[in-house]
């Protein structure tokens, strides 16, 4: 979802606090051929290939959403700091409330993870974007790297206002009958409940080592999942695959479940729980 | 599970020069109007309406060779395997005493099982099959045999009524009363028909470029986030009122708007 204003409006009305757009690049991109998404036993495997209509066309979608006063985080991807900066400026001009720099897509050549594995480049892009805009800038990182904490520190050094972790986990499915990978791109990213422990670990490690807020992502399906990320140090969480598992109104359900848990355990404000697992 | 199940084609039959039917065993329950995601290994995976809902779990798809995927599919033979997942979407709601079905081009493929279900439910079925020319027609005999009143329209007049299916529909609607109109075909045809059928309950099958088929990627959304793969592909006349996209634009694989 979140490739057009209509679906973003629907997601917001289903209880999301803010909406992150599909990752947008400079030019229209069709993405990979199908199969791009399949369900596996314990999660969803996808290789979309960063499909997006390009920053020029995307303006009208954001303008529509801003008229409705829906908080919007513009996700962008580029192959170098200049591209990121150009996209960032346009997103800010359209009215995005914050930016998410996609440095973690695990299956796009020249983009995403290929950039987010290089700490110098991460710092350079973060600082270049920060110079170009005044809205908050988050950097979305992948778990598919050994030195995640160092990369997060580089983003912080570059001036990032927050870290988003994690993106999908690099994965593959081979069909036994047909003896070939099912995804057209062969390699994709795994999401859903199966990756939650990986995400929780990453958020825990990052939040311990940086002073900027962390947004947790990866398998958040219930209020309890969200609370686990928050205890690990997340100040907010993102939800994606759970739309499939629990329906599009999953956002409201998660919020309700969080409230019930907090009430039963005597908490009034979610901030009391951020990072409690660290003590 | 939404995983493309390798499935053997048990019967491959030519309907005309460019249209083929594949039958296979796929025992899930199916409502007419629902679709499969059909994986042609190594080529593509595309949404395709169910065209046969037979006994003992035999299902079918009927398609025209138009793009790379359907051209590759057309070359497959009995015994070859395709990956199938689904069925997806909501399907038609078939009720009332008298239904008019309008199938345009390959839209005829998904109209056929809906007609058969109506006949099974003892609902009287009038069917318009609209094609450009006689050689593109298929399923005429199948629908006549099941007991439907079948009308043909061809743009070039090579068979039946000479003109558009919508013009023929207008004439038939002026003479007879229907409780429901069901249609699948080119979007501009369906839009015109929708205008003609102002006061008759209406159900349309929309087609949009699809990727996931399970409501998460957002590629096929219309209006305010209505997912053609989940909330559709069948939309009723009431819902259509607010779908501004209908007959105006669709989105290409990048999400860019493309005018009809």
């Amino acid at each position: 979802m979140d490739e057009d204003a209509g679906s973003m409006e629907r997601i917001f009305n289903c209880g999301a606090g803010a909406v992150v757009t599909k990752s947008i690049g400079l030019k229209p991109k069709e993405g990979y051929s199908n199969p791009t998404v399949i369900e596996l036993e314990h999660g969803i495997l996808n290789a979309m290939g960063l499909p997006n209509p390009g920053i020029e066309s995307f303006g009208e979608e954001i303008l529509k959403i801003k008229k409705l006063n829906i908080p919007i985080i513009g996700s962008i991807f580029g192959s170098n700091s200049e591209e990121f900066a150009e996209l960032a400026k346009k997103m800010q001009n359209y009215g995005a409330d914050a930016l998410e720099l996609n440095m973690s897509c695990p299956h796009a050549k020249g983009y995403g993870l290929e950039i987010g594995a290089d700490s110098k480049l991460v710092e350079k892009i973060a600082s270049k974007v920060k110079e170009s805009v005044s809205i908050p800038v988050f950097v979305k990182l992948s778990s598919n790297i050994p030195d995640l904490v160092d990369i997060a520190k580089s983003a912080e050094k570059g001036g990032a206002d927050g870290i988003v972790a994690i993106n999908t986990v690099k994965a593959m499915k081979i069909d036994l009958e047909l003896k070939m990978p099912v995804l057209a791109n062969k390699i994709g990213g795994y999401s859903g409940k199966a990756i939650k422990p990986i995400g929780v670990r990453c958020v825990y490690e990052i939040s311990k080592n940086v002073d900027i807020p962390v947004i947790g992502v990866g398998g958040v399906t219930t209020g309890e999942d969200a609370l686990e990320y928050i205890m690990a140090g997340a100040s907010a969480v993102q939800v994606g695959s759970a739309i499939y598992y629990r329906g599009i109104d999953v956002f409201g359900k998660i919020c309700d479940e969080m409230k019930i848990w907090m009430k039963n355990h005597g908490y009034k404000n979610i901030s009391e729980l951020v990072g409690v697992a660290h003590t | 599970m939404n995983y493309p199940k390798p499935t053997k084609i048990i019967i491959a039959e030519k309907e005309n020069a460019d249209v083929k039917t594949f039958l296979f065993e796929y025992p899930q329950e199916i409502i007419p109007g629902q679709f499969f995601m059909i994986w042609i290994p190594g080529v593509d995976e595309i949404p395709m309406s169910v065209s046969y809902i037979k006994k003992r779990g035999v299902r079918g798809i009927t398609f025209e060779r138009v793009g790379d995927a359907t051209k590759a599919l057309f070359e497959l033979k009995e015994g070859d395997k395709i990956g199938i997942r689904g069925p997806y979407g909501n399907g038609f709601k078939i009720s009332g005493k008298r239904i008019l079905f309008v199938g345009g081009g390959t839209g005829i493929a998904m109209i056929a099982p809906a007609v058969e279900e109506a006949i099974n439910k003892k609902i009287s079925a009038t069917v318009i099959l609209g094609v450009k020319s006689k050689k593109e027609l298929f399923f005429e005999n199948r629908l006549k045999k099941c007991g439907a009143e079948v009308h043909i329209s061809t743009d070039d007049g090579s068979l039946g009524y000479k003109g558009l299916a919508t013009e023929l529909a207008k004439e038939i609607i002026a003479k007879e009363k229907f409780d429901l109109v069901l249609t699948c075909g080119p979007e501009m045809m369906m839009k015109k028909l929708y205008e003609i059928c102002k006061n008759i309950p209406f159900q349309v099958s929309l087609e949009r470029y699809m990727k996931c088929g399970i409501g998460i990627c957002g590629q096929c959304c219309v209006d305010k986030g209505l997912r053609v793969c989940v909330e559709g592909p069948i939309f009723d006349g009431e819902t259509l009122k607010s779908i501004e996209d209908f007959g105006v634009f669709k989105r290409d694989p990048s999400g860019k708007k493309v005018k009809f």
Side-chain angles (χ1 to χ4, degrees):
Chain A
M1 301 292 273
D2 301 342
E3 197 170 30
D4 66 291
S7 70
M8 289 191 268
E9 184 183 347
R10 183 169 182 200
I11 296 279
F12 182 75
N13 289 335
C14 282
V19 185
V20 185
T21 67
K22 272 252 158 82
S23 290
I24 306 297
L26 285 176
K27 294 206 174 74
K29 204 164 181 294
E30 297 202 341
Y32 302 129
S33 306
N34 282 344
T36 45
V37 182
I38 51 169
E39 183 193 0
L40 300 179
E41 256 176 299
H42 306 291
I44 294 170
L45 182 64
N46 91 81
M48 305 303 297
L50 296 170
N52 78 95
I55 192 74
E56 298 305 330
S57 308
F58 202 65
E60 67 169 301
E61 310 294 339
I62 300 209
L63 292 174
K64 259 191 221 163
I65 283 298
K66 285 324 294 172
K67 269 189 200 144
L68 302 165
N69 263 328
I70 294 172
I72 187 161
I73 300 166
S75 172
I76 53 176
F77 72 92
S79 57
N80 55 49
S81 59
E82 285 78 27
E83 284 185 21
F84 269 104
E86 189 183 341
L87 288 160
K89 277 187 242 164
K90 291 203 165 129
M91 273 288 187
Q92 176 173 276
N93 288 345
Y94 293 150
D97 298 284
L99 291 170
E100 181 177 283
L101 315 183
N102 182 344
M103 299 195 196
S104 45
C105 175
H107 47 73
K109 226 180 151 19
Y111 298 110
L113 177 55
E114 289 189 12
I115 282 160
D118 179 339
S119 60
K120 284 211 180 87
L121 196 52
V122 169
E123 186 185 333
K124 191 176 165 195
I125 292 169
S127 66
K128 181 94 183 168
V129 171
K130 278 299 288 180
E131 279 169 26
S132 317
V133 296
S134 55
I135 52 177
V137 174
F138 311 136
V139 175
K140 188 164 185 173
L141 295 177
S142 164
S143 66
N144 301 299
I145 40 173
D147 49 355
L148 175 65
V149 168
D150 292 341
I151 299 277
K153 282 182 180 168
S154 306
E156 185 181 34
K157 225 169 117 193
D161 300 285
I163 303 289
V164 185
I166 56 176
N167 206 315
T168 55
V169 177
K170 213 168 179 176
M172 178 188 265
K173 167 68 189 171
I174 292 169
D175 187 83
L176 292 190
E177 288 279 310
L178 298 164
K179 305 175 191 73
M180 63 189 284
V182 179
L183 293 178
N185 188 56
K186 298 182 177 71
I187 290 171
Y190 201 36
S191 66
K193 277 258 190 191
I195 70 162
K196 195 187 76 178
I198 302 171
V200 170
R201 184 269 300 173
C202 291
V203 166
Y204 185 89
E205 287 193 337
I206 294 169
S207 67
K208 203 173 180 147
N209 288 285
V210 300
D211 295 320
I212 49 178
V214 180
I215 298 172
V217 204
V220 176
T221 313
T222 65
E224 284 77 8
D225 296 333
L227 288 162
E228 194 177 337
Y229 269 103
I230 285 162
M231 289 185 188
S235 304
V237 295
Q238 292 182 0
V239 177
S241 301
I243 293 175
Y244 169 69
Y245 291 106
R246 299 186 72 193
I248 206 159
D249 51 352
V250 63
F251 303 93
K253 288 179 190 166
I254 288 174
C255 293
D256 291 344
E257 288 157 1
M258 288 172 75
K259 280 181 209 147
I260 291 167
W261 192 96
M262 286 170 65
K263 195 174 164 223
N264 289 344
H265 292 79
Y267 289 93
K268 284 212 168 68
N269 196 316
I270 194 75
S271 60
E272 296 169 60
L273 286 161
V274 175
V276 290
H278 286 279
T279 50
Chain B
M1 195 158 67
N2 292 296
Y3 175 85
K5 185 176 182 282
T7 306
K8 203 182 276 180
I9 300 163
I10 54 172
I11 289 175
E13 208 163 49
K14 247 181 152 177
E15 305 290 354
N16 66 35
D18 295 309
V19 174
K20 251 187 191 176
T21 291
F22 288 162
L23 296 179
F24 39 78
E25 281 175 34
Y26 194 88
Q28 263 93 322
E29 286 294 310
I30 288 161
I31 304 165
Q34 285 187 307
F35 67 94
F36 292 127
M37 289 301 288
I38 301 286
W39 178 33
I40 309 118
V43 183
D44 204 349
E45 188 194 42
I46 51 173
M48 207 165 263
S49 302
V50 183
S51 67
Y52 277 98
I53 308 166
K54 287 172 167 274
K55 286 187 188 122
R56 286 184 288 279
V58 174
R59 317 291 184 222
I61 50 170
T62 301
F63 59 94
E64 184 182 15
R65 49 175 168 188
V66 281
D68 292 344
T70 45
K71 275 175 191 157
L73 193 63
F74 200 86
E75 297 306 316
L76 299 184
K77 296 175 178 64
E78 288 171 6
D80 288 342
K81 278 179 187 159
I82 50 176
I84 303 178
R85 53 189 183 100
Y88 295 126
N90 53 0
F92 286 115
K93 287 183 189 68
I94 296 169
S95 65
K97 286 194 181 114
R98 227 178 139 69
I99 302 180
L100 175 66
F101 296 87
V102 182
T106 44
I108 295 168
M110 74 126 58
I111 287 292
V115 174
E116 286 167 345
E117 171 151 328
I119 301 278
N120 279 342
K121 287 182 162 172
K122 312 266 182 263
I123 298 169
S124 146
T126 301
V127 184
I128 298 174
L129 304 179
V131 286
K132 288 198 187 89
S133 164
K134 185 172 85 174
K135 60 180 195 297
E136 289 176 14
L137 189 64
F138 60 98
F139 286 174
E140 181 190 7
N141 291 334
R142 170 183 171 186
L143 293 172
K144 278 182 177 160
K145 236 167 79 183
C146 86
E149 181 187 320
V150 179
H151 301 261
I152 312 287
S153 75
T154 53
D155 298 0
D156 65 1
S158 52
L159 188 70
Y161 178 88
K162 183 180 190 299
L164 299 173
T166 47
E167 291 159 3
L168 177 56
K170 200 173 180 178
E171 287 182 17
I172 292 174
I173 289 166
K175 280 185 272 181
E176 297 171 56
K177 195 182 165 302
F178 294 97
D179 304 314
L180 181 61
V181 175
L182 303 187
T183 183
C184 180
E187 193 145 320
M188 296 320 286
M189 176 202 94
M190 300 194 292
K191 173 106 181 177
K192 183 94 191 112
L193 190 65
Y194 179 54
E195 283 157 12
I196 293 168
C197 297
K198 270 283 173 270
N199 302 312
I200 312 172
F202 193 76
Q203 289 172 35
V204 60
S205 174
L206 285 192
E207 181 175 274
R208 286 295 181 274
Y209 194 90
M210 275 183 196
K211 285 177 180 168
C212 76
I214 53 177
I216 45 177
C217 81
Q219 170 70 46
C220 67
C221 284
V222 295
D223 188 43
K224 303 238 186 312
L226 286 176
R227 299 162 295 180
V228 172
C229 69
V230 175
E231 282 87 29
I234 313 300
F235 293 98
D236 62 25
E238 270 309 299
T239 313
L240 281 178
K241 270 186 203 162
S242 65
I243 302 183
E244 288 172 15
D245 323 23
F246 180 48
V248 179
F249 69 88
K250 56 185 179 176
R251 289 178 191 270
D252 73 7
S254 78
K256 240 181 133 147
K257 287 180 180 176
V258 180
K259 284 204 171 86
F260 277 107

